[in-house]
Amino acid sequence: MSSSNQHNRTSSSNQSIDGFDAAKNNANSETSKKSRFPPFDNGLSEDEEVVGKFANTLQNKIDSRAITPTPTERAIIRNAVFFPGFIFGSLATVGTFIFLRRVPILIVNKMQLKRYEYLKENVKHVAAMEGNKPPKPMKEGPVMKTIGTLLDAAFSSLIGIATWSLTINKNKVLNAAADIPLIEGKSEISNHLCSDFIHIYQNEVRPKFWKEKRDDSLKALSRFVQNCEKRQLYEKKLRREMGFIYGDDNLDEIDLPLPVPEEIEDIDDGDDWAALEDVDEDTFDDT
């Protein structure tokens, strides 16, 4: 009888434990569903995720050394990055270096001269003891001069870099980079980035995202993609005019005789003046 009761108590205890585990698992699942925190591996904002997609594509191209900017592209980027920030940074570097090398010694020598003049007029025995001779100008020794020059040069360079970064025209840099697809001739940057960027822009980012964001960097990114579309449309038109038949649009980039015209953006759907491949070539053969 006692063994039967013990068995019943054991089975009842096991059922209670099973029921507790089930309730605990259900509570955990409900908590995970109601959790307001993002997944551990998805803590980036939407802006960071979008920028990261484009940045990863660009980094892969750079790592594979697929992009070799043309001289024109290099000049555009160099002028946007270096001017006017580089000028102000250089002036700040040179000015700081001259100040650190000259001004402290001049101040020390001036203070010594003033001290000597004061003692000469007010303390007669000091003037007699020093022989009425002014102090010798302070000069750095060879070791101190070398160390001081290196330290002053390093500090001046930091000041120049800081000045450059503060005075660089961010909008000028962003706009210059975004307008690279519009240049005439060849554009290696456009040739290797446009197709991938357009795919990300159209297929991996929700359409309303670009209308909601007002950040200058995101605006420049959107502008670059739109200019890429203009360039591809212009190249398509030129290929048609050069006699390439439908299907030749995958050829290497051609040299644009002129910059991409801005009026391409005003052309919509049925007014696409570059879509000449839709014309049936048999109609020309019949005539």
Side-chain angles (χ1 to χ4, degrees):
M1 184 74 175
S2 60
S3 61
S4 176
N5 292 334
Q6 184 177 2
H7 176 72
N8 291 334
R9 286 195 299 270
T10 303
S11 61
S12 176
S13 176
N14 292 335
Q15 291 176 356
S16 299
I17 294 174
D18 294 340
F20 176 77
D21 292 340
K24 183 179 179 180
N25 292 333
N26 290 334
N28 291 336
S29 62
E30 291 296 329
T31 302
S32 62
K33 291 179 181 179
K34 297 179 181 180
S35 177
R36 293 175 297 174
F37 295 99
F40 178 77
D41 58 345
N42 190 27
L44 299 177
S45 65
E46 185 179 17
D47 291 9
E48 293 171 332
E49 289 181 354
V50 171
V51 174
K53 292 178 180 180
F54 290 96
N56 290 336
T57 300
L58 176 61
Q59 189 62 50
N60 291 335
K61 297 291 185 180
I62 294 175
D63 292 341
S64 62
R65 298 183 179 180
I67 303 178
T68 304
T70 64
T72 302
E73 292 172 331
R74 292 179 181 177
I76 293 174
I77 297 174
R78 182 172 59 250
N79 292 336
V81 173
F82 284 97
F83 303 101
F86 181 76
I87 296 177
F88 292 116
S90 299
L91 293 175
T93 300
V94 175
T96 303
F97 183 77
I98 294 175
F99 177 86
L100 293 176
R101 296 308 302 158
R102 300 295 182 184
V103 174
I105 296 178
L106 292 176
I107 293 175
V108 171
N109 289 333
K110 189 69 175 179
M111 292 176 64
Q112 287 182 348
L113 183 60
K114 284 187 175 183
R115 178 178 177 274
Y116 167 77
E117 292 175 350
Y118 173 81
L119 293 175
K120 182 179 179 180
E121 294 179 0
N122 298 280
V123 186
K124 302 299 183 182
H125 69 278
V126 174
M129 183 177 61
E130 294 181 355
N132 293 324
K133 292 182 179 180
K136 294 181 179 181
M138 175 185 174
K139 293 183 179 180
E140 292 180 311
V143 177
M144 290 301 300
K145 187 174 183 179
T146 301
I147 296 175
T149 301
L150 293 176
L151 293 177
D152 292 343
F155 184 75
S156 300
S157 299
L158 292 177
I159 295 296
I161 294 173
T163 304
W164 180 11
S165 63
L166 290 174
T167 57
I168 191 171
N169 191 333
K170 178 183 176 183
N171 289 331
K172 179 181 178 182
V173 175
L174 293 175
N175 292 334
D179 289 341
I180 284 180
L182 301 180
I183 65 174
E184 62 182 291
K186 282 192 174 183
S187 173
E188 289 295 325
I189 293 177
S190 304
N191 193 30
H192 290 90
L193 291 181
C194 278
S195 296
D196 293 333
F197 275 30
I198 291 174
H199 174 78
I200 296 174
Y201 185 91
Q202 294 179 346
N203 302 305
E204 299 185 19
V205 182
R206 59 186 181 88
K208 292 184 179 180
F209 172 84
W210 302 105
K211 297 180 180 179
E212 298 171 354
K213 304 302 176 181
R214 299 185 179 275
D215 181 75
D216 291 337
S217 300
L218 292 173
K219 285 183 178 179
L221 192 56
S222 176
R223 179 173 173 174
F224 178 85
V225 175
Q226 293 173 3
N227 288 335
C228 280
E229 294 174 338
K230 294 179 185 179
R231 186 179 187 88
Q232 291 185 353
L233 188 62
Y234 188 49
E235 289 178 347
K236 185 183 294 185
K237 172 184 179 295
L238 292 179
R239 287 190 177 96
R240 299 289 86 77
E241 292 178 350
M242 294 169 62
F244 291 110
I245 61 173
Y246 177 77
D248 288 339
D249 292 330
N250 294 325
L251 296 175
D252 292 338
E253 181 188 13
I254 62 176
D255 285 331
L256 302 186
L258 296 171
V260 178
E262 287 289 338
E263 59 268 19
I264 293 182
E265 63 184 3
D266 296 329
I267 298 172
D268 300 321
D269 299 328
D271 297 329
D272 186 354
W273 49 273
L276 300 182
E277 66 273 13
D278 294 335
V279 178
D280 188 359
E281 296 182 3
D282 293 338
T283 58
F284 295 98
D285 295 338
D286 294 339
T287 57

